Amino acid sequence: MQDKEHHPTMRPSRILLSSTALTLALALTLAGCSNTADGTAIAEGAATGTGTNDTAATFDTASLDTGAYNTEPRDFIDEGQSAGDFGPAVEGQRMAEFVIHPYTIDSALTTGGGMATGVGVGGIGKVLSGGGADDVAKSFGVITGFGSFASNPDDSRQLGVAVWRFPDTNSAAQAATALHANALTPEDVGFSSGPQTPASIPQLPGTLASTYYFDGIDTASMSTFTARGPHVVYTYTSAEENDTEWNSDVTARAVEAQLPLIDRFPFSPTDEIESLPVDLDKVLARAVGFVENEYARNSDTAVYGPLGWLHFDSHPAETAALFEASGADRIALANSTVYRTSGPEAAEELRDAFVEQTLDSYPDLVDEPAPQSVPGTVCLAGDTAQGRVMDCMMTYGPYVAQIQGHRSVGNTDPDSDTLRTVPQRVAAQYVKFVRAEEKGLGEN
């Protein structure tokens, strides 16, 4: 079962990242799939507008120091590049559009859930830590999954929702039953806290539920597993003061909201997952990308739709409104974050709104000149309790890009100091935008 203590605080999407976000090797530094909320591809050319203005048109890109970063955007579709072994991660990123957001069930649940939020491939260990659940899921061929976990500001209430993909309907049904049975009699290893107690949710007869009481901290939890097609929906709630009524109510509403949503997901047939297209919308091609000595988790290179991206956002309700107003339809992440909007004016409005959000969260940051005087770029920098940070937001045509850096207090390892690479990444980002437009990449 998932212990209450093991939903760590999520790194916000636009608030400055710690260097610990870059801790695991990424086998491939490309991934992506085009999908809207209904799973259909957005046509190339949907976003319009030139990237040049009077300043940019005369700016000498040849003078920029871009370091070892690649500045030539790749057209993965023209190259015939498919997802291959990274297909399960791409499928999980697509699935994110069809996983509910905890704040829509309880508006107080806006503090994110760390490494339990995001795509999981090769098991479910970050969601269900200890107790043998990961091995159970693997035994039924779990392919991928996406989890979204959040709590209220004082961490007294938590809700997590995860959806896991299995090879077929039968294996998903068997996995749900086995995972529930494991929760009732878990192995005495890892973070397992002992067996849970069976429970029922009258309005959800197909859902397998259990409860647990954390003695000593007066906290009750509820976990559920529900098979739905080739997917298993998992929910987890916990509430201090033994508030079982809150757990039951939130769990029921979360499952009732999630089941019809995953029914809408146009999931890929199992034998076609490796053939998923890479970067169909050509937004990931515009992100900076990584050099050899930089490391990232699977979720640090990704393409999401707007609803999928909100799972990582520190102001999800506010940002949802900003995405709708700006027409943001695709977000790509690879050592920078690139948002595609409906046009240049919308991009500038989105950039300015993001800057205001950052200042609301980090009021001690101050304006910093754009590295290498790159046009269209606004930067904030300053010291936090964790170290020195810099956050730059760039616009180019309908795109907004964010480049962040962090140097932790006392850090002496250059490879974990992302602040030192900000000037070169800002320059590389700008050159990539220019080259993508020159190549007519996506004609948008």
Side-chain angles (χ1 to χ4, degrees), residues 248-326:
S248 297
D249 174 63
V250 167
T251 296
R253 289 192 288 115
V255 175
E256 288 175 330
Q258 181 58 69
L259 294 181
L261 187 58
I262 199 61
D263 287 344
R264 292 173 48 202
F265 177 41
F267 62 86
S268 305
T270 301
D271 61 358
E272 296 179 12
I273 289 177
E274 290 189 356
S275 300
L276 284 169
V278 172
D279 197 26
L280 186 60
D281 288 325
K282 302 180 175 63
V283 179
L284 182 62
R286 290 168 160 85
V288 170
F290 295 93
V291 295
E292 187 174 352
N293 67 324
E294 293 176 324
Y295 302 99
R297 303 170 299 172
N298 277 353
S299 55
D300 286 329
T301 298
V303 178
Y304 287 100
L307 296 178
W309 184 253
L310 290 179
H311 293 290
F312 304 98
D313 198 273
S314 50
H315 305 77
E318 180 181 339
T319 301
L322 293 175
F323 282 169
E324 183 174 358
S326 65

Side-chain angles (χ1 to χ4, degrees), residues 50-394:
T50 178
T52 59
N53 54 35
D54 290 343
T55 302
T58 59
F59 189 77
D60 180 16
T61 58
S63 67
L64 293 173
D65 173 16
T66 58
Y69 293 101
N70 173 40
T71 58
E72 190 67 21
R74 293 176 58 190
D75 190 330
F76 300 113
I77 301 299
D78 283 357
E79 294 175 12
Q81 177 73 58
S82 59
D85 291 343
F86 206 63
V90 176
E91 182 77 348
Q93 293 160 18
R94 296 182 63 238
M95 183 189 294
E97 278 303 274
F98 301 87
V99 175
I100 65 170
H101 299 83
Y103 83 92
T104 63
I105 304 301
D106 185 321
S107 60
L109 301 173
T110 57
T111 301
M115 293 185 73
T117 292
V119 173
V121 294
I124 58 175
K126 293 300 180 184
V127 174
L128 289 167
S129 56
D134 196 49
D135 290 337
V136 171
K138 289 178 181 178
S139 72
F140 291 98
V142 63
I143 296 171
T144 189
F146 189 89
S148 187
F149 287 73
S151 66
N152 60 356
D154 66 6
D155 208 33
S156 63
R157 302 286 186 273
Q158 298 187 43
L159 167 62
V161 179
V163 180
W164 299 309
R165 169 69 185 279
F166 290 84
D168 50 48
T169 298
N170 185 54
S171 58
Q174 293 184 60
T177 300
L179 286 165
H180 176 64
N182 179 76
L184 302 181
T185 56
E187 298 176 9
D188 187 19
V189 296
F191 298 118
S192 177
S193 299
Q196 301 178 41
T197 301
S200 64
I201 303 175
Q203 62 268 50
L204 298 170
T207 292
L208 302 170
S210 59
T211 60
Y212 188 82
Y213 178 70
F214 292 88
D215 193 17
I217 56 174
D218 195 27
T219 296
S221 70
M222 173 173 275
S223 300
T224 70
F225 300 94
T226 310
R228 195 76 161 191
H231 301 102
V232 171
V233 172
Y234 166 74
T235 68
Y236 173 87
T237 57
S238 71
E240 292 181 359
E241 299 178 354
N242 196 27
D243 193 346
T244 57
E245 183 177 348
W246 185 89
N247 280 339
S248 297
D249 174 63
V250 167
T251 296
R253 289 192 288 115
V255 175
E256 288 175 330
Q258 181 58 69
L259 294 181
L261 187 58
I262 199 61
D263 287 344
R264 292 173 48 202
F265 177 41
F267 62 86
S268 305
T270 301
D271 61 358
E272 296 179 12
I273 289 177
E274 290 189 356
S275 300
L276 284 169
V278 172
D279 197 26
L280 186 60
D281 288 325
K282 302 180 175 63
V283 179
L284 182 62
R286 290 168 160 85
V288 170
F290 295 93
V291 295
E292 187 174 352
N293 67 324
E294 293 176 324
Y295 302 99
R297 303 170 299 172
N298 277 353
S299 55
D300 286 329
T301 298
V303 178
Y304 287 100
L307 296 178
W309 184 253
L310 290 179
H311 293 290
F312 304 98
D313 198 273
S314 50
H315 305 77
E318 180 181 339
T319 301
L322 293 175
F323 282 169
E324 183 174 358
S326 65
D329 59 10
R330 188 65 64 241
I331 299 93
L333 177 69
N335 220 0
S336 66
T337 306
V338 179
Y339 304 79
R340 187 175 72 171
T341 73
S342 61
E345 184 177 345
E348 292 184 1
E349 291 174 354
L350 185 63
R351 176 199 63 190
D352 294 345
F354 282 173
V355 169
E356 289 302 314
Q357 285 187 351
T358 300
L359 286 172
D360 286 343
S361 298
Y362 293 87
D364 292 336
L365 299 187
V366 298
D367 291 340
E368 184 88 0
Q372 304 188 61
S373 301
V374 169
T377 305
V378 176
C379 296
L380 300 170
D383 294 318
T384 70
Q386 290 74 38
R388 182 76 178 176
V389 296
M390 189 169 188
D391 188 4
C392 293
M393 301 290 300
M394 178 191 304

